[in-house]
Amino acid sequence: VNAEIARGEFVAIMGPSGCGKSTLLNLLGGLDQPTKGQVHMDAQDLATYNEEQLATLRRAKMGFIFQRHDLFPSLTARENIEFPMLLNSIPPDVRRARAQELLVLVGLEKRGEHLPDELSGGQQQRVGIARALANAPEILFADEPTGNLDSATAAEIMGVLIALAREKGLTLMVVTHDAETA
């Protein structure tokens, strides 16, 4: 793959199961290192970064929505959303206010104090989306972000993601097998 993705662009990566869509997303997000080739971000080769530098880069510039939401089971929805901000040393009152804004954004303002196992699969995915937006990323990597949602909620969430991307100049990269989502 040879691609250049501009800041603020919306890119959909499509293909059949097992073709490497998620692997490509992980390479672009610095979660995996390529065995051949290079991944550059802002003219920097990500292969030159150590794990700590990659983690700092991801916290500062990237948000990830995973195919499985990967929420912490012992944290409430709000605490799951606050967690990335905690890693960035954001003060507690700012974290709480931002988490509440994001809960409203994904339609879960009344579910913030619920644990993941008290939420439906779609609600858990929406918490995962809110968590990915917690540190106001420049780039949002989404691996099947609407895979666990009904069609109406999926359309609503994609609308929110696209509106955010436009409003904030966010680069949005979505892996999907669904042509409608793309």
Side-chain angles (χ1 to χ4, degrees):
V1 173
N2 186 10
E4 187 171 316
I5 299 157
R7 192 174 306 273
E9 196 169 352
F10 176 20
V11 177
I13 302 169
M14 290 188 63
S17 293
C19 75
K21 301 181 303 287
S22 295
T23 300
L24 178 59
L25 205 68
N26 288 343
L27 289 166
L28 295 173
L31 296 171
D32 291 335
Q33 289 292 327
T35 53
K36 283 186 175 179
Q38 298 174 327
V39 176
H40 289 263
M41 180 176 294
D42 296 333
Q44 296 293 315
D45 183 353
L46 295 187
T48 65
Y49 285 52
N50 64 34
E51 280 304 314
E52 185 177 326
Q53 290 169 314
L54 283 169
T56 300
L57 176 68
R58 286 190 295 263
R59 283 195 313 269
K61 289 192 172 208
M62 303 174 191
F64 294 89
I65 302 167
F66 297 102
Q67 197 165 13
R68 287 181 288 156
H69 37 76
D70 295 326
L71 300 178
F72 297 108
S74 62
L75 299 181
T76 65
R78 179 187 50 76
E79 291 167 336
N80 266 284
I81 296 167
E82 285 186 34
F83 188 75
M85 294 182 276
L86 177 68
L87 296 175
N88 273 357
S89 303
I90 304 297
D93 56 331
V94 175
R95 288 195 313 258
R96 182 176 275 281
R98 175 83 174 136
Q100 188 59 37
E101 287 173 19
L102 291 168
L103 283 165
V104 169
L105 183 70
V106 297
L108 294 175
E109 57 274 8
K110 295 183 178 167
R111 307 289 285 176
E113 299 310 313
H114 288 77
L115 294 171
D117 69 357
E118 299 171 328
L119 302 171
S120 70
Q123 290 171 332
Q124 291 177 33
Q125 186 69 343
R126 287 191 270 169
V127 172
I129 290 167
R131 181 179 60 191
L133 296 170
N135 282 327
E138 295 175 22
I139 305 167
L140 185 60
F141 295 101
D143 190 351
E144 299 284 359
T146 59
N148 295 330
L149 305 175
D150 61 75
S151 59
T153 305
E156 180 184 328
I157 292 295
M158 283 309 299
V160 166
L161 291 176
I162 291 166
L164 276 169
R166 287 185 180 140
E167 177 186 322
K168 301 195 179 297
L170 187 69
T171 303
L172 180 58
M173 301 195 62
V174 178
V175 161
T176 184
H177 66 275
D178 179 43
E180 177 114 1
T181 299

